[in-house]
Amino acid sequence: MGGRKAGIRAGAAISCVLLLGGCGGAGNNGSARHEPVTVAKAPAQLPVPRGKGSKSADDFNGDGLRDLVLNDLVKSPDDAHGDDAGIGIVYGTGAGAGAGTTHGLAPGARQLLNPARQAARAKGRSPAVFDAEASCDLDRDGFTDLVVSTDPPYDGQGRPPVPLQILFGSPAGLTGRAVRLVIPAAARAGNDWPDQPVCGDFDGDGAEDLVVHASDGRLSYLRGPFTRKGAPRAAGKPLLSPGTVPTGPALDVNRDGYDDLLVRTAEGPATSALVLGGPAGPTRTGTALPSGIDVALGPFGRGRALDAAVGSMDGTSLRYDLPTAVRDSISTPGSVLDAGDFDGDGVSELVSSGAELRILRGRTTGLSATGMVTVPPPARGTTRVLTVADFTGDGRADLVVRTYDGETKDTVAVYAGSKEALVTAKPTVTFSTSEFLGMNS
């Protein structure tokens, strides 16, 4: 699909904090013994709590609690090179959330989305690729929906088919079969794969829209709400774009009531620019950002607008109070960034991933390396940040990381936000995606 793949950061927004870019990576070689949960050790499977609908982000069952999406599940040692295992969902519940919390992720309340059961078929066959890309309530029913990427058959001639599908949320979670996303021909440009979906209310009407890559310099803008058949309310001609890779989630950076979009000129090290929303959607190119590997937005100091941090191999550059062009810099190792308000004071911290995983404290005057926290990896292997979001409902962001040890072993760990220490010294929840092996539902 044009060589582009946008990995979802499920639950990336916390309060007014936005995480932008692909998954962060941090290579760690800790001495902790790695012992992933096997199927035999996995907690007993719990029923998915039934909800009545909510406005919470990433709440697929509508019970008011945030859920976690997992791509690239580990595989059985006997099938290490087999087909895509599917998408894992861990639901938030009021029980089994970890010590000292009222709510949180419960590994027992898990669900496997399998392409054979949940994906829409193309020419009579199920897709081999089934990856979560974006999440939002597209049909405005109070249940978050999941946009997934597939690999429909294509002979290389002419315009490729739309590879994106929608799984709709429900009181029981993501239980039905997906429908193909409808992108009208007039909203497409060129013969690129229409991929890189980003959710956001770009026209300020209260309904979630989708922006999708159309071609170099063009975006398809699909206005919500969407029908249960995957069709947008409206879609006009492709919009001009300052880059090729729309990156989400979106956020109202300048606080004008319209979500804004970050667009990168390429994957990997690249420049990027904000595209500002308005009544006609994301049509105005705003602040340009310097070249970097990753970008994080958040209120790193006290100000009306948000701030941008750009991660590069040379350190982190900051552009305060977007959309103005005020620049500052702070020296910190790590090129992949995330953000979240871990202590609940209304100012965001910056997570910097590299050889180590560090959290820089946000203060009223901006970010400070004083009191920087180093987070130990939960197991031996390579650790990546999955997301920063409030899973416990206490108003503080939690840090979710995943440590890989080959294709068949991993550990997912949740470090709860802490008013005093930013995050807990030890994970409050740990599990392995091997728990999804052999699931039938």
Side-chain angles (χ1 to χ4, degrees), residues 9 21-26 294 336-338 353 383-386:
R9 274 182 170 163
C23 279
D294 201 7
V336 182
L337 307 176
D338 298 276
S353 302
T383 298
R384 294 180 177 177
V385 177
L386 285 181

Side-chain angles (χ1 to χ4, degrees), residues 56-249:
S56 299
D58 297 313
D59 183 10
F60 303 109
N61 58 334
D63 65 348
L65 301 173
R66 187 183 293 264
D67 309 316
L68 179 67
V69 181
L70 295 159
N71 277 322
D72 303 319
L73 307 177
V74 297
K75 300 176 181 178
S76 166
D78 298 329
D79 190 31
H81 302 290
D83 291 338
D84 192 333
I87 301 166
I89 307 293
V90 177
Y91 287 87
T93 73
T101 62
T102 303
H103 301 96
L105 294 173
R110 58 188 184 269
Q111 179 185 27
L112 176 65
L113 305 177
N114 184 289
R117 293 191 301 271
Q118 271 84 30
R121 298 177 182 273
K123 295 185 177 181
R125 72 171 181 84
S126 298
V129 173
F130 200 57
D131 291 322
E133 299 283 358
S135 57
C136 57
D137 184 3
L138 291 170
D139 58 351
R140 300 186 73 176
D141 65 349
F143 302 92
T144 301
D145 310 310
L146 186 66
V147 183
V148 300
S149 181
T150 66
D151 59 339
Y154 174 54
D155 61 7
Q157 302 298 314
R159 182 169 284 179
V162 177
L164 302 174
Q165 301 184 7
I166 303 172
L167 280 160
F168 288 100
S170 75
L174 298 166
T175 57
R177 190 174 286 274
V179 300
R180 284 184 283 272
L181 175 66
V182 177
I183 303 180
R188 297 186 62 175
N191 291 331
D192 284 5
W193 285 94
D195 55 10
Q196 306 288 351
V198 178
C199 291
D201 181 10
F202 300 107
D203 57 5
D205 67 350
E208 292 287 338
D209 313 312
L210 278 178
V211 166
V212 177
H213 166 83
S215 66
D216 289 350
R218 295 288 190 277
L219 298 173
S220 294
Y221 172 47
L222 312 176
R223 292 178 182 258
F226 287 69
T227 71
R228 298 289 291 199
K229 294 183 178 180
R233 176 176 62 85
K237 295 181 179 179
L239 303 179
L240 291 174
S241 170
T244 64
V245 186
T247 305

